[in-house]
Amino acid sequence: MKTVFSGLKPSGDMTIGNYLGAMKHWPKDQGKHRTIFFIPNLHAITTRQDPIQLKKRTLDLVAWLLTVGVDPDQSIILVQSMVPQHAELAWILNNYVTMGEMSRMTQYKDKAKKAGPEGLLVGFFDYPALMAADILLYDSNEVPVGEDQIQHIELTRDIAKRFNTIYGDTFVVPKGVIPDTGARIMSLDNPKIKMSKSDHPDSSISLTESTDSILKKFKRAVTDSDNKIAYDKANKPAISNLIEIYSGFTDASVAEIEKKYADKNYAIFKSDIGEIVAHKLSLLQNDFNNIRSDEASLYSIIDVGNSKASQIASEKLKIVKEKTGLL
Ligand code: TRP
């Protein structure tokens, strides 16, 4: 059976970009494949976090996974810091990747440009080694991620192959998978940058946003110059992004949406999309609130997931230690 593995960092409130690009797709593989979803909180601390917020967001994320249909009986749900094999394998893998390879990671380069060497933490530089450990511990075949993480998966593949070449087959070489829709939801006020909670408040919609605020933000969303609802990512990036969001929330195809709005203007489209997103989110929020309010159940789900994960992870780590001569 194939293993599908992915995770979402608890470093900000979840947005509709995280929902459409990741979470929404995860339950689909359940039953068909071995599915493992995790909360990479050790990755979150590579940028400074408020401890109370970090803890809250970790539990929030577990509750969101359950809300969107990740089923703890069919999937393993784990929290990275609670399965110590992740950090342990990451340390070992550090020695199978070079400074040069790490320095070529776009996410690191972008941040290094902005923050300079004194503003960057070593953990942030080393982030891809921990990500490789996450993935390789579970013999993951497929790793669904957003486009911006593909380079890290490529590096994971290189690390796995390098290790296998030296010590014989040890790790499954994973494949990064980008979802057909929603892989790159852009900011509402600037379609050139990815939607992110940390930008301007008008740029993103959080999963906990109120109906009023959702309607307002879609009304204010930037659009392109002609007043036509047509998908053309290169020439009409703003409306194309809105069409992708519309499609993600309704499961209507781009062609169906274009047809439906062929003789309508941006104002009508923006008001409709606002209503659709607000309605869907209010249903999800209802379920989320119920699930989130029972922390004891969340902890027991995490406990079960962690112990299943740790069984798999410790077997892999044992093999790695044997091969490398670590007692
Ligand atoms: N780096 C990923 C992100 O920012 C999160 C992540 C950490 C991850 N480890 C992973 C995703 C392993 C997939 C597999 O989105």
Side-chain angles (χ1 to χ4, degrees):
M1 189 161 32
K2 259 199 321 204
T3 296
V4 177
F5 180 90
S6 197
L8 269 174
K9 252 188 316 186
S11 46
D13 287 338
M14 289 294 109
T15 70
I16 58 170
N18 302 121
Y19 172 69
L20 296 178
M23 269 185 217
K24 181 189 146 188
H25 302 282
W26 290 355
K28 294 183 211 160
D29 287 318
Q30 294 181 133
K32 279 190 283 179
H33 308 304
R34 179 170 76 162
T35 40
I36 307 178
F37 301 111
F38 86 124
I39 319 296
N41 55 347
L42 295 173
H43 277 106
I45 62 165
T46 60
T47 54
R48 196 67 72 225
Q49 300 294 325
D50 173 68
I52 292 168
Q53 283 299 317
L54 179 60
K55 190 170 174 184
K56 173 187 167 287
R57 283 177 177 146
T58 304
L59 293 172
D60 284 353
L61 253 175
V62 173
W64 275 116
L65 295 192
L66 301 171
T67 301
V68 303
V70 173
D71 172 357
D73 292 330
Q74 296 193 73
S75 291
I76 297 176
I77 300 174
L78 70 116
V79 174
Q80 191 183 33
S81 63
M82 297 168 101
V83 181
Q85 288 85 0
H86 288 246
E88 208 175 338
L89 182 61
W91 178 259
I92 297 173
L93 295 182
N94 272 332
N95 305 294
Y96 299 88
V97 60
T98 67
M99 296 288 287
E101 287 174 306
M102 290 292 209
S103 308
R104 286 192 285 279
M105 294 296 109
T106 309
Q107 185 172 307
Y108 159 74
K109 283 199 292 187
D110 286 352
K111 180 113 190 214
K113 234 195 294 172
K114 280 188 220 148
E118 298 306 323
L120 258 188
L121 303 173
V122 174
F124 191 86
F125 180 70
D126 198 31
Y127 185 115
L130 179 57
M131 190 159 161
D134 300 334
I135 296 167
L136 299 178
L137 275 176
Y138 301 98
D139 286 341
S140 311
N141 303 93
E142 289 187 5
V143 185
V145 282
E147 263 168 22
D148 61 330
Q149 295 299 315
I150 286 292
Q151 201 189 16
H152 294 154
I153 313 271
E154 290 300 318
L155 185 58
T156 301
R157 290 168 60 84
D158 291 342
I159 293 172
K161 287 187 213 157
R162 183 169 304 153
F163 197 97
N164 289 348
T165 304
I166 303 174
Y167 301 102
D169 263 358
T170 309
F171 295 124
V172 169
V173 180
K175 254 205 285 282
V177 200
I178 297 177
D180 301 341
T181 55
R184 202 164 156 77
I185 298 298
M186 310 308 276
S187 155
L188 295 183
D189 61 359
N190 179 1
K192 289 197 192 79
I193 58 172
K194 196 178 131 179
M195 179 179 284
S196 156
K197 187 65 198 162
S198 46
D199 286 333
H200 191 262
D202 269 0
S203 70
S204 71
I205 290 180
S206 107
L207 291 185
T208 51
E209 197 108 15
S210 72
T211 293
D212 256 14
S213 167
I214 295 170
L215 295 177
K216 259 190 229 141
K217 285 188 182 179
F218 276 110
K219 275 192 188 128
R220 276 196 230 124
V222 295
T223 38
D224 311 287
S225 53
D226 66 3
N227 208 349
K228 288 209 161 38
I229 319 298
Y231 190 87
D232 176 350
K233 231 174 164 160
N235 299 308
K236 291 164 64 69
I239 195 70
S240 300
N241 185 44
L242 295 182
I243 291 174
E244 273 189 46
I245 294 171
Y246 191 114
S247 166
F249 274 95
T250 56
D251 290 328
S253 71
V254 169
E256 283 162 355
I257 297 166
E258 284 177 332
K259 196 165 157 222
K260 180 162 183 209
Y261 289 93
D263 52 4
K264 307 264 190 339
N265 60 26
Y266 286 158
I268 292 174
F269 183 75
K270 292 207 283 187
S271 136
D272 283 6
I273 189 174
E275 299 281 352
I276 287 165
V277 173
H279 176 66
K280 176 72 184 176
L281 286 193
S282 75
L283 297 176
L284 289 174
Q285 286 163 8
N286 224 352
D287 292 345
F288 172 81
N289 291 336
N290 283 331
I291 295 169
R292 182 66 178 87
S293 64
D294 186 357
E295 277 199 4
S297 295
L298 291 178
Y299 276 112
S300 81
I301 287 168
I302 297 170
D303 276 349
V304 172
N306 288 343
S307 66
K308 286 187 198 158
S310 134
Q311 213 173 332
I312 303 168
S314 61
E315 273 170 39
K316 183 59 80 182
L317 194 61
K318 185 162 169 255
I319 296 171
V320 169
K321 284 184 166 177
E322 268 163 19
K323 293 198 175 193
T324 49
L326 294 165
L327 297 183

